[in-house]
Structures are given as C-alpha cells and as structure tokens.
Amino acid sequence: MKHLLWIVVCCYATTLNLWAQGAAAVKHGGSQGIEFFHGTWEQVKQEAKKQNKAIFVDAYASWCGPCKRMANEVFTDPAVGSFYNKNFINFKVDMQTGEGPALDAIWGVDAFPTLIFFDSKGEMVSKTKGYQNSMTFLTLGKRGLYSPAKMAEMEQKYISGERKPEFLMEYVEVLKLQNKDATAVVNEYITTQNDSSDWLKEENMVFAYTNTQNVESPLLWKMLQNLPAYSERFGETWIAGKTNIAVAYSLKAASERGDDALVGRCKEAIKALGRTDADMLGMRIDLEYYRLTKRWNDFLRTAATEMDKYDIRDAEFLNSIAWIVFENTDQTAYLEKALNWAKLSVTFNSTYNNNDTMAAILYKLKRKQEALVYAQKAVEIAQSQGKYHQNTLDLIKKIEQLP
C-alpha cells in the first residue's frame, strides 16, 4: 500500500523553472522580440566591437520547420527580445545562400537551426543544435555571454576586491552558470542597497525574484515586504509559487537540521502572502515536518487537535493523514479520528487506497464486519484497475481471525 502525504507545495514546481526575466518581461512589456542586424558577418563583428557586445547567430535554412517555429514562437517573445537585444548583436544567416556556405565551412553547421554565440571579438563561445523554447533559449543566452576567459577574469576581479553593485549583480549570474554557490555574493549585493525603495527598482526586483532560493534568503522577504509591487510586476501566481518553492526547500532543510525555528519562518512566509487558508497550510507544514523528522507524538497531537478545524476536501491528503495515524498508534482516540478522516476521503473520492485505509483502521479497532466490507471494496477497485493488492488480501485473512 502506498499512501502519500501532500503538503502546501503542489503545483508550481514545473512552471517556476522559468528564468524570472523571461516570465517578468511578458507581463511587463518591452521589446516585441529580437531585433536582428542587417548586413554582412564582417559588419556584425565591427558593430559588436563598437558596442562591446557579444554576438548571437541564428544559422538556419529556409526549408527548416524547427527554424520557422523558433522565428515565430521564440524570437518574437518579448522576454527573449528584451534579454537578447540588451546583450547581443543578433544576426540571422541562411546557411545555404549568400555568404552562408562560406561561413558554414568555418563554423561547421551540420543541423538546423544551429544557435551560435560569439564574444565581442568574434571568437566562438558555444554552439547548440535544434529547436529551443523560450526558457532554454534564455538560458543559452546567459551562458553565451561568458566565455571561460571572461568568467576567470570576473573571478579575479572579485578576489581583488571589486565590489561595485553592478559588478556583484553580474558576478552572481556568472557563479550560477558555473553551478557555484552565489549566496555570499548575493548577500554582499544586498548590503549595497540601503534604502527600502531600492527594492522597487526594476533591476532589483528581477534580482530578488531570480535569486530567492529559500525562506532564509533576505531576498524572499524583500519581495514579501513589497508584495503588491512584486505581484504587479511578476503576477500573483508567480510570487506565490516562488514562495511555495522556497518553503519546500526550507522545510527539507529544517527536517535535516531539526530546526523548529525555520519551520516557523516557513509558516510566516505563507502568511505573508495574505492567503485566507494560511493557518490550514501552516498545519500541513507542521505535519510534514513531524513526518519527516519522525516525531510521531507531535504528529498525532497536531493532527488530532488541528485537522477538524478546517474544511479539508482533499481526499488524498485526508487519507494520507489517516494512514500515518494508523501506522503510528494503537490509541483508540487517535484511531477514531483517523477513521473519520478516511471516511471523508472515501466520500470525496472512493479509491483503493482510502478503502484499504478504512479496513486497516477498523481492523485495529476490532470492528470485524465493517473492516471486511471496506477491504473487499478495496480489492474490487484494485482488480478493476489492475492494481497490486496482495497486502489487502493478507489483511482480509487477519480480519477474518477477529472474534
């Protein structure tokens, strides 16, 4: 039998892998896509040198379907345009016409599209084949800005004492691209922004959103302290999702450290969102923390005193709590509570799991006939769905031995 406990973090994990700049720019407006330079490759290099910008090249073919998709769906994305127009001289080359074949001989393009990044001197930094969506394309662009030599140069500047705010902000991105811990540099940047209004500046709002990782991050609280502005900038769903992900990471860390205070901060973060169900979510956070730390007495006490305060209609959650109670106590009072939650779960959505839970609890309570009814129902559901149910068949044998 498998019974899962679901907590507050549920629906944001996939969408929040987006780069914050990407998500933000769509809401905020700005450029309507990438602006491509018109001219020759030599003229592109001259312009890059003049503006001290890196170069992005879309190496395509006129007949290529994925190339057309990127042109229509990705290059027109305002988020993509905002980032690429700021940081690159952008250039499109049909590799089968004009100067394309000659450049192909140099660049070695063997698939379309091929997305190529060069530094401001025209030296190739990276090359990626195939269609990329907006998220991955933004990531490629960030990586394309920094050659290994450029990264090493920035590291040396930092070691030598460079601490200008704009440098620290950029260095954070460089560290992240190398999968290095940027926490210390993030915190140094925070100290350069002294006025509370500084965190309403565009670049700081994006910085805070992008670099918030957990509830111990001061950046999360910068966002939550300015919730209306950040919700307007990024969207309420994005801010709520970012906060929930931070809570999930911190709850895991708290369970590993046995840190009750950090759990309290997790609940404060949820309350700061202004959710009407914040207290109920706080209870779920407590229950998950006690489950992870195997503090079963605290789990039982919290479930018994708090669960019935709320109108919980999540069948899977109700069943999970009931099952955990069943596994960790023989006390009748707790088991009766668990039975009620399992009944509610069955009422909302009758499944193999919650019927099996009902049977197991009733068995512990020595209520033979009722236990058999639910166990047989669980078997029927499992058989109709082709699910493994040997544990329930074994339970039936135990139930039948009751007086």
Side-chain angles (χ1 to χ4, degrees), residues 71-213:
N72 293 331
E73 299 173 6
V74 179
F75 297 160
T76 56
D77 186 329
V80 170
S82 176
F83 176 78
Y84 274 79
N85 295 337
K86 176 183 176 182
N87 294 292
F88 294 95
I89 302 298
N90 303 295
F91 188 51
K92 290 174 73 74
V93 184
D94 186 332
M95 301 308 292
Q96 298 183 332
T97 64
E99 66 176 334
L103 293 172
D104 190 1
I106 300 170
W107 297 340
V109 174
D110 58 6
F112 302 113
T114 293
L115 311 169
I116 313 175
F117 296 90
F118 300 83
D119 62 22
S120 59
K121 298 176 183 177
E123 297 293 327
M124 188 182 294
V125 174
S126 65
K127 183 168 63 173
T128 300
K129 302 174 186 179
Y131 174 88
Q132 310 292 318
N133 62 29
S134 294
M135 290 181 283
T136 56
F137 187 50
L138 281 166
T139 303
L140 285 177
K142 291 197 172 189
R143 289 180 178 151
L145 283 175
Y146 301 103
S147 65
K150 176 69 172 175
M151 290 182 181
E153 177 187 335
M154 293 192 71
E155 182 178 13
Q156 190 55 51
K157 281 186 178 180
Y158 180 77
I159 292 171
S160 299
E162 175 63 84
R163 293 297 187 274
K164 290 180 181 177
E166 57 273 18
F167 170 82
L168 292 172
M169 182 179 281
E170 185 178 12
Y171 190 48
V172 166
E173 292 300 322
V174 169
L175 290 172
K176 286 161 59 180
L177 289 172
Q178 299 176 87
N179 295 317
K180 293 182 178 179
D181 184 9
T183 303
V185 184
V186 167
N187 290 336
E188 284 185 294
Y189 178 79
I190 291 171
T191 65
T192 70
Q193 308 299 298
N194 298 317
D195 195 286
S196 59
S197 64
D198 287 342
W199 293 99
L200 298 178
K201 295 176 181 177
E202 170 67 12
E203 64 272 19
N204 280 346
M205 293 179 81
V206 171
F207 183 81
Y209 185 94
T210 305
N211 291 290
T212 290
Q213 300 296 328

Side-chain angles (χ1 to χ4, degrees), residues 160-293:
S160 299
E162 175 63 84
R163 293 297 187 274
K164 290 180 181 177
E166 57 273 18
F167 170 82
L168 292 172
M169 182 179 281
E170 185 178 12
Y171 190 48
V172 166
E173 292 300 322
V174 169
L175 290 172
K176 286 161 59 180
L177 289 172
Q178 299 176 87
N179 295 317
K180 293 182 178 179
D181 184 9
T183 303
V185 184
V186 167
N187 290 336
E188 284 185 294
Y189 178 79
I190 291 171
T191 65
T192 70
Q193 308 299 298
N194 298 317
D195 195 286
S196 59
S197 64
D198 287 342
W199 293 99
L200 298 178
K201 295 176 181 177
E202 170 67 12
E203 64 272 19
N204 280 346
M205 293 179 81
V206 171
F207 183 81
Y209 185 94
T210 305
N211 291 290
T212 290
Q213 300 296 328
N214 52 57
V215 301
E216 295 175 286
S217 169
L219 294 175
L220 175 66
W221 300 98
K222 301 294 184 187
M223 290 198 302
L224 295 176
Q225 287 159 10
N226 296 283
L227 186 60
Y230 278 80
S231 295
E232 173 63 24
R233 177 64 178 84
F234 298 100
E236 289 183 12
T237 299
W238 289 90
I239 296 299
K242 189 73 171 177
T243 303
N244 286 349
I245 293 297
V247 166
Y249 283 128
S250 296
L251 190 55
K252 181 175 183 294
S255 68
E256 291 169 351
R257 303 189 322 229
D259 190 340
D260 290 12
L262 183 54
V263 176
R265 291 292 274 169
C266 290
K267 294 191 287 186
E268 287 172 21
I270 295 299
K271 283 189 175 182
L273 289 172
R275 294 186 56 150
T276 57
D277 58 352
D279 289 338
M280 186 271 290
L281 294 175
M283 175 202 68
R284 293 178 74 156
I285 288 171
D286 281 335
L287 289 172
E288 178 67 355
Y289 176 58
Y290 297 142
R291 184 187 74 86
L292 290 170
T293 53

